[in-house]
Amino acid sequence: MAQNKVAGPEIERLIQLLAKLPGLGPRSARRAALHLIKKKDQLLVPLAEAMGVAVDQVGVCSTCGTVDTSDPCAICADPRRDLSVLVVVEDVADLWALERAAAINARYHVLGGTLSPLDGIGPEDLNIASLIERCRIEEVEEVILAINATVEGQTTAHYVTDQLAHLEINITRLAHGVPVGGELDYLDDGTLSQALKARTRF
Ligand SMILES: [Zn+2]
């Protein structure tokens, strides 16, 4: 039996679109839509305006592959960044995570995914050629592979390392091991043995 619609087609459309957002199912989409409608002036109008600006101005940085409202992006154009270090990430979300942590004052290169032969994703589908080109023409001394510790991520890291081998660049990767605040008893065997192998002097 078909469910009754809760409101007119305009509101139904809003709910359907919200339900496509990550983490929102139909139920939470209805709640979000109702919240937006109730807070029309404080939330719905500014959100619609912000989305309009995003539609008009957001694009991909032709240098590093992140998303921003300018090209080159704010990070690539920032003169205070250390030009000698490039941090390679899979996705813009990873770049944002590193920037949130304010852990490094370097520039980035977004691969746009990982190598995955089973899904038909090869080197030409990722921003690898542009990474090699940047390393060749820019003053890069170190490439940090901040790539996820998944099988695909590590395969990608090995491939990128091979492709950069002919350049005189230090290639490093993030440490694998015990998370800050982590308890050994809760770690999986792979993480625990990696942490032991990568132990450092106290
Ligand atoms: Zn950029």
Side-chain angles (χ1 to χ4, degrees), residues 32 71 115 181:
D71 184 13
L115 295 174

Side-chain angles (χ1 to χ4, degrees), residues 61-66 68 70-77 95 108 134:
C61 174
S62 56
T63 305
C64 73
T66 194
D68 205 346
S70 58
D71 184 13
C73 70
I75 293 173
C76 285
L95 185 160
Y108 296 89
R134 282 184 82 184

Side-chain angles (χ1 to χ4, degrees), residues 149-161:
T150 56
V151 173
E152 293 85 6
Q154 294 313 297
T155 306
T156 310
H158 282 293
Y159 181 83
V160 169
T161 305

Side-chain angles (χ1 to χ4, degrees), residues 95-180:
L95 185 160
W96 285 359
L98 288 162
E99 281 294 294
R100 270 203 315 275
I104 188 160
N105 186 38
R107 293 177 307 152
Y108 296 89
H109 195 86
V110 181
L111 293 178
T114 45
L115 295 174
S116 180
L118 287 178
D119 300 316
I121 300 173
E124 64 286 349
D125 300 308
L126 305 176
N127 298 325
I128 292 179
S130 55
L131 171 65
I132 296 162
E133 184 63 7
R134 282 184 82 184
C135 290
R136 211 174 55 76
I137 62 175
E138 296 179 13
E139 302 156 22
V140 179
E141 291 167 18
E142 180 179 2
V143 166
I144 302 174
L145 300 174
I147 297 178
N148 292 336
T150 56
V151 173
E152 293 85 6
Q154 294 313 297
T155 306
T156 310
H158 282 293
Y159 181 83
V160 169
T161 305
D162 285 347
Q163 296 298 304
L164 295 175
H166 64 288
L167 299 169
E168 292 210 347
I169 290 176
N170 281 322
I171 300 172
T172 56
R173 61 159 203 187
L174 299 186
H176 296 170
V178 183
V180 173

